[in-house]
């Protein structure tokens, strides 16, 4: 899955959030990185739900 979101620690003790191979944001605390990851997942889920509903109504 190339669009997989993941959080990885860095050597300096901060965390980086990736989508596939692309860096989305870096220099975060673990809590910040996990919240960022969760917000992306929630947005994707909401977008999928809206698409399914639009297809049902269309």
């Amino acid at each position: 899955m190339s669009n997989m979101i993941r959080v990885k620690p860095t050597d300096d003790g901060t965390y980086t959030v990736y989508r596939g191979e692309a860096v989305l944001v870096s220099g975060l605390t673990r809590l910040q990185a996990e919240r960022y990851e969760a917000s992306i997942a929630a947005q994707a889920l909401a977008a999928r739900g809206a698409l399914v509903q639009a297809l049902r109504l269309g």
Side-chain angles (χ1 to χ4, degrees):
M1 288 186 153
S2 63
N3 285 334
M4 189 169 138
I5 305 299
R6 64 190 191 285
V7 174
K8 293 177 115 180
T10 62
D11 293 336
D12 67 1
T14 62
Y15 290 79
T16 301
V17 181
Y18 294 86
R19 175 179 281 143
E21 297 297 318
V23 173
L24 299 178
V25 65
S26 63
L28 301 177
T29 65
R30 182 175 179 174
L31 180 59
Q32 289 172 322
E34 289 175 353
R35 286 180 176 169
Y36 190 85
E37 178 186 29
S39 72
I40 293 169
Q43 289 172 8
L45 186 59
R48 278 187 231 132
L51 177 60
V52 167
Q53 187 168 359
L55 291 172
R56 286 182 185 163
L57 295 175

